[in-house]
Amino acid sequence: MASVFNVILPVFALILAGFACRRLGLLGVNAASEINRMVVWLCLPALLFEAMATVVWEQIWQPGFILAYGVGTLGIFAVVLLWGLRRSGSLADASVQGLSASYANTGYMGIPLCLLVFGDAGMEPALIACLIVICVLFALAVVCIEVGLQNEKSVWLAVRKVFVALLKNPIVMAPLLGALWAATAQPLPAPLHQFLKLLAGATGPCALVALGLFLAQKQAGPKQRGTGLVLIKLIAHPLITWVLAVYVFRLPPMWAHAALLLSALPTGTGPFMLAEFYRREGAQVSSTILLSTLGSLLTLSICLYLIAP
């Protein structure tokens, strides 16, 4: 419990900092949106580009783990998306809900937790999970949202508009450009690499502060708690991934344990970034992030007890 608490406490502290700044009037009513825009246009693209441009493919090529974690994560996303689409009829809103139920906080919590539990060996599964969540799942959600926002009757015009929108979207283009750079097998120039690392390092803290700012604002209309999404994220996601890792792909113990731990992480700030950026309903997303982070104190502790030697 102590190790989980040490990882989760800074997350709550950053959310509380944003909450306090808004309530004390230190930051204005538009601060959450403006900080989030900075994350979407500067920090997160830098993180995505740097991650793809510097990745060592031989180090992360673990097909069994990629399939177990990837299928579990994308499966949850697809099921919740279809459920949300059936209820609301909005592909954009359903995509945000699907992301909320499947987007684990692999970067800000997963990496330090895996290093604490597995030592240096835990870095590899944590990095793979980060790439799946941030570069694959996040990009897929953006594509679904862009498709859902189109109202063209002509299929050709709709496809063209989605394609142009994706080309202009930094979250989609940054990892693609990073992968192209990686294909050249050239290291990033030192000043550029340092610039990217500085921006990338601000992604998590700024997104969490923006979340706190948003939570401090009075929300109009009925509040949506997102309890169902929290239960899916903290219980269904790790359970499905564990079955895939152990019984389907028969991963070695360390990799299976890492898959369980990484899938049991609470919802990260990615869904909130998209909800704010695309002006979707943010109350349910912010509630899901907060409640799942709180609930993960229990679920992660249970997971750590189960995988303890």
Side-chain angles (χ1 to χ4, degrees):
M1 175 69 81
S3 61
V4 177
F5 187 77
N6 289 337
V7 173
I8 291 180
L9 183 59
V11 173
F12 277 117
L14 285 166
I15 295 174
L16 180 61
F19 187 92
C21 284
R22 179 69 196 98
R23 284 299 172 91
L24 294 173
L26 300 178
L27 293 173
V29 293
N30 297 320
S33 295
E34 293 304 316
I35 292 176
N36 190 67
R37 286 176 66 83
M38 184 189 79
V39 171
V40 171
W41 284 101
L42 287 175
C43 302
L44 184 58
L47 173 65
L48 295 172
F49 181 89
E50 197 259 347
M52 293 300 292
T54 60
V55 70
V56 180
W57 296 105
E58 294 80 7
Q59 184 182 13
I60 66 165
W61 182 241
Q62 301 288 339
F65 180 85
I66 292 172
L67 287 171
Y69 190 81
V71 171
T73 299
L74 296 176
I76 289 289
F77 172 77
V79 169
V80 177
L81 183 149
L82 292 173
W83 171 74
L85 184 60
R86 185 177 179 181
R87 288 190 63 192
S88 68
S90 170
L91 180 58
D93 291 334
S95 300
V96 174
Q97 290 177 344
L99 198 63
S100 299
S102 57
Y103 188 100
N105 195 343
T106 51
Y108 206 70
M109 291 177 59
I111 290 177
L113 194 58
C114 279
L115 290 174
L116 278 172
V117 177
F118 307 112
D120 291 341
M123 188 63 191
E124 288 185 23
L127 178 59
I128 296 170
C130 282
L131 292 175
I132 292 173
V133 168
I134 299 175
C135 297
V136 179
L137 178 64
F138 207 59
L140 178 61
V142 170
V143 171
C144 291
I145 291 173
E146 290 288 355
V147 171
L149 293 178
Q150 299 306 318
N151 53 13
E152 286 286 350
K153 294 182 179 180
S154 167
V155 175
W156 166 246
L157 287 177
V159 170
R160 189 178 70 175
K161 279 192 173 182
V162 170
F163 183 72
V164 171
L166 293 176
L167 285 178
K168 295 178 179 179
N169 194 302
I171 299 171
V172 175
M173 295 307 298
L176 293 178
L177 294 174
L180 289 175
W181 183 280
T184 66
Q186 296 296 317
L188 289 169
L192 174 61
H193 196 183
Q194 184 62 18
F195 167 74
L196 292 172
K197 288 179 71 175
L198 287 171
L199 277 177
T203 303
C206 287
L208 290 167
V209 168
L211 175 60
L213 289 164
F214 180 83
L215 289 170
Q217 297 174 184
K218 293 183 179 180
Q219 305 299 321
K223 292 184 178 180
Q224 297 178 313
R225 295 294 181 189
T227 307
L229 298 177
V230 173
L231 293 175
I232 293 172
K233 181 68 205 71
L234 296 183
I235 298 175
H237 190 191
L239 183 61
I240 291 172
T241 304
W242 173 253
V243 170
L244 289 170
V246 175
Y247 298 104
V248 178
F249 298 105
R250 300 184 182 278
L251 298 182
M254 192 279 286
W255 287 92
H257 295 164
L260 172 65
L261 204 59
L262 288 162
S263 58
L265 292 167
T267 303
T269 54
F272 175 74
M273 293 181 209
L274 289 191
E276 271 288 283
F277 185 70
Y278 284 103
R279 294 292 185 262
R280 314 317 296 174
E281 177 56 53
Q284 185 181 42
V285 179
S286 59
S287 175
T288 301
I289 296 171
L290 191 63
L291 292 176
S292 65
T293 302
L294 182 61
S296 66
L297 277 168
L298 176 61
T299 55
L300 286 174
S301 298
I302 293 173
C303 289
L304 288 173
Y305 174 78
L306 292 174
I307 68 178

